[in-house]
Amino acid sequence: MTRHILYHELSDMREDVRAFLDRPKAILIGGEFVEKASGGTFTSEDPGLETALAEVPAAEQAEVDAAVDAARSAFEGEWAKMVPAGRAGCMFKLADLIYQNLDQLAQLEGLDTGKPAHIAAALDIPFAAEVFKYYGGWATKVRGSTLDLALNPEQFHVYTRAEPVGVVAGVIPWNYPFAQAAFKIAPALAAGCTVILKPAEQTPLTALRLAELVVEAGFPAGTVNVLTGFGHTAGAALAAHHGVDKLTFTGSTDVGRLIAEASAKSNLKRLTLELGGKSPVIIFADADMDKAIPAAAAAIFGNSGQVCNAGSRLFVEASAYDRVIEGVAEIGKGMQLGCAMNAGSELGPLMSATQLQRVSSMVEEAQRAGVTVVSGGSQGGDKGYFFEPTVLTDMDPASSIATDEIFGPVLCAMTFNDDDDIVAAANDTNFGLAASIWTGNPGRAHRVAHAVKAGAVWVNAFGVFDPNLPFGGYKESGWGREFGIEGLNAFLETKAVSMHIGA
Ligand code: ADP
Ligand code: MG
């Protein structure tokens, strides 16, 4: 039986969204809007209706070169001349403009990604604005230190300076396009860097709207440049560019490796890499099940599972297993799938036909290997890339369904017996992005939190994100951290100045 899907009508579209979609799309290079690019144009699609939304410029090497030049000029020129308080002012202005355009941005984001626009309006867009405000605050607080040498302190006066790393490229994925743009741009600007943003080819629209807001906010030309284009052309050109000093990336582990290779083969540009995950949600029998069960469902079904930190492996202590699995499956069955502009939609479609194909075939392969489908398991609806919230049990923990990132609403549920057992199982992965632990025993919560190899551990909670909270991965989940002072430091170089003062 195919599920009932809430589709939207194009008449549900806001006037200002329609107007944006109707006008020619332009990339932003050195303060100029450029409609023509070397690669011609490509189409952005609404994954809910499988219809074209807009044609956007396909930037390639020539536009990358021009954007890098523009970013270099701004880095050495107007942006460098602007005092930190002025830079902060531009960032605060941009945050205000994002709030002023919140509903337009949310609907545009919904249309481009498929996610419910009301969720984008409540979460994605305001969070992006808050990240600009948060890092706008840091722009006036960058500092070095003075220190004493260990061996001959009386001979030298020594201080460090925290200097911007230079021209930054931000390459981002399609799951949270607008928020990811803020995650890349805001800390770089706070550090005094200039930026070239390349959104994912599947979701270029809110980045192009952001480009307009950047200009309105009064940033000097070239401080922020926005290039829409493909990964293997524009993305690869940025990764290999000698004029890019730092690249900050969120996406797949495979592309992360390509970027690391490109950095190694070019100028050893600095890298921040936020990559894949297969994050465990661990529920002990003494957990508050009224909270743990809905959280475990939200952890994997939220954003249709297209989240790098999705709680895609659920481990439940044996005595509570049946109850939790049944509870999560029931929530999945009750979730309303639908298109972005339908207010009743709780879950959107997957991003693309490619993603739907990938998720379906992974589930089918698991079924052939004997995995039990407790709920969901198939495509939903006859239009759009919808996939049902799915709960799987009885898998081999070493099989691909249990170890590979699925990037869909597909949960692999397993059981465990004691603390040692669960730590070993949770850590038996090449990833290490996040983990969620549910227990009424605080001592155990901390012991397991310390033993789990993950950059973020949430106790009796899932998905705690905050501009001041460092986030990033262990192992193949990435390099470095975003957010907080760690996220700022990722865009600063330390210069140590030693001056001889001895007689
Ligand atoms: P997904 O596989 O989920 O689409 P990717 O990791 O492929 O995620 O994409 C994330 C971002 O990386 C996108 O902006 C994409 O265009 C870009 N990208 C893809 N391939 C490359 C590459 N070889 N070099 C640089 N960027 C790339
Ligand atoms: Mg799209």
Side-chain angles (χ1 to χ4, degrees):
M1 192 195 81
T2 50
R3 258 164 107 123
H4 175 62
I5 308 285
L6 296 176
Y7 288 101
H8 55 211
E9 307 284 336
L10 291 183
S11 55
D12 296 333
M13 200 184 291
R14 292 169 57 89
E15 270 307 305
D16 56 4
V17 171
R18 160 69 58 210
F20 177 81
L21 290 177
D22 283 350
R23 62 180 184 260
K25 302 295 166 298
I27 54 181
L28 178 65
I29 301 176
E32 302 290 329
F33 290 104
V34 180
E35 287 171 23
K36 281 213 170 359
S38 307
T41 61
F42 62 98
T43 308
S44 190
E45 183 191 30
D46 168 359
L49 296 181
E50 300 182 41
T51 50
L53 288 169
E55 291 290 308
V56 304
E60 293 188 345
Q61 187 72 49
E63 291 74 30
V64 166
D65 289 342
V68 171
D69 283 350
R72 177 67 56 194
S73 300
F75 178 68
E76 288 169 0
E78 295 305 309
W79 188 239
K81 276 186 222 150
M82 195 177 259
V83 298
R87 292 190 210 134
C90 290
M91 295 176 73
F92 296 144
K93 179 78 203 279
L94 181 57
D96 287 346
L97 288 170
I98 292 169
Y99 275 121
Q100 282 164 31
N101 291 276
L102 190 146
D103 292 327
Q104 183 203 29
L105 287 164
Q107 198 175 80
L108 205 50
E109 189 80 325
L111 282 166
D112 214 6
T113 61
K115 73 175 71 189
H118 64 88
I119 295 180
L123 295 174
D124 306 42
I125 311 297
F127 194 70
E130 291 300 324
V131 167
F132 278 110
K133 275 166 60 181
Y134 172 81
Y135 277 112
W138 271 116
T140 52
K141 292 157 196 76
V142 174
R143 63 182 190 185
S145 59
T146 60
L147 54 97
D148 292 336
L149 295 183
L151 300 183
N152 48 356
E154 64 290 335
Q155 290 293 315
F156 287 93
H157 167 53
V158 178
Y159 62 94
T160 66
R161 286 174 47 76
E163 298 186 348
V165 65
V167 170
V168 170
V171 177
I172 58 174
W174 41 257
N175 57 349
Y176 291 94
F178 194 74
Q180 283 287 346
F183 301 169
K184 304 302 178 260
I185 295 171
L189 294 179
C193 297
T194 56
V195 185
I196 302 135
L197 177 77
K198 194 206 80 67
E201 50 270 41
Q202 296 85 351
T203 54
L205 297 180
T206 50
L208 293 176
R209 181 67 186 120
L210 179 66
E212 297 176 347
L213 299 179
V214 160
V215 170
E216 207 178 324
F219 287 92
T223 304
V224 177
N225 306 273
V226 178
L227 300 180
T228 48
F230 290 93
H232 64 280
T233 52
L238 287 165
H241 211 290
H242 283 264
V244 172
D245 299 300
K246 155 113 196 180
L247 190 149
T248 172
F249 170 76
T250 295
S252 59
T253 294
D254 287 347
V255 172
R257 283 184 213 283
L258 292 176
I259 288 173
E261 281 174 21
S263 164
K265 287 182 184 149
S266 56
N267 60 343
L268 287 174
K269 58 179 63 63
R270 285 85 180 94
L271 297 176
T272 297
L273 302 175
E274 297 287 351
L275 309 175
K278 192 79 175 178
S279 297
V281 173
I282 301 164
I283 303 183
F284 286 92
D286 64 1
D288 178 349
M289 294 301 173
D290 292 341
K291 297 207 169 85
I293 292 170
I300 184 62
F301 302 144
N303 215 46
S304 302
Q306 304 172 120
V307 185
C308 53
N309 59 274
S312 49
R313 291 183 300 151
L314 174 64
F315 295 97
V316 188
E317 192 170 355
S319 63
Y321 186 71
D322 291 342
R323 176 180 172 198
V324 172
I325 300 312
E326 196 177 307
V328 173
E330 280 310 309
I331 292 172
K333 285 183 203 160
M335 292 188 92
Q336 179 62 58
L337 272 55
C339 284
M341 294 189 297
N342 195 310
S345 302
E346 292 178 300
L347 277 192
L350 300 185
M351 182 66 240
S352 59
T354 315
Q355 275 305 113
L356 179 60
Q357 174 57 36
R358 189 185 130 78
V359 173
S360 313
S361 60
M362 285 180 86
V363 171
E364 277 161 25
E365 191 196 312
Q367 272 178 282
R368 279 196 299 276
V371 165
T372 304
V373 180
V374 179
S375 60
S378 13
Q379 193 171 349
D382 45 27
K383 193 172 39 171
Y385 310 123
F386 293 94
F387 196 83
E388 298 178 302
T390 299
V391 176
L392 306 178
T393 57
D394 304 318
M395 71 276 308
D396 172 356
S399 64
S400 67
I401 198 85
T403 55
D404 293 351
E405 186 172 44
I406 302 172
F407 232 63
V410 179
L411 181 64
C412 294
M414 292 165 265
T415 185
F416 68 91
N417 292 308
D418 61 44
D419 294 19
D420 292 340
D421 219 23
I422 183 52
V423 167
N427 287 338
D428 187 15
T429 165
N430 294 332
F431 296 114
L433 196 53
S436 167
I437 302 164
W438 295 80
T439 175
N441 177 336
R444 170 153 67 194
H446 289 296
R447 282 194 304 276
V448 177
H450 293 192
V452 166
K453 296 206 179 338
V457 180
W458 300 307
V459 178
N460 294 334
F462 185 87
V464 184
F465 280 92
D466 185 275
N468 201 32
L469 186 65
F471 180 79
Y474 281 39
K475 301 194 267 182
E476 293 176 27
S477 288
W479 288 349
R481 296 292 178 270
E482 295 190 288
F483 306 128
I485 193 171
E486 287 86 348
L488 176 74
N489 286 338
F491 296 92
L492 293 166
E493 292 277 14
T494 299
K495 177 180 284 174
V497 180
S498 306
M499 183 179 182
H500 188 244
I501 55 171

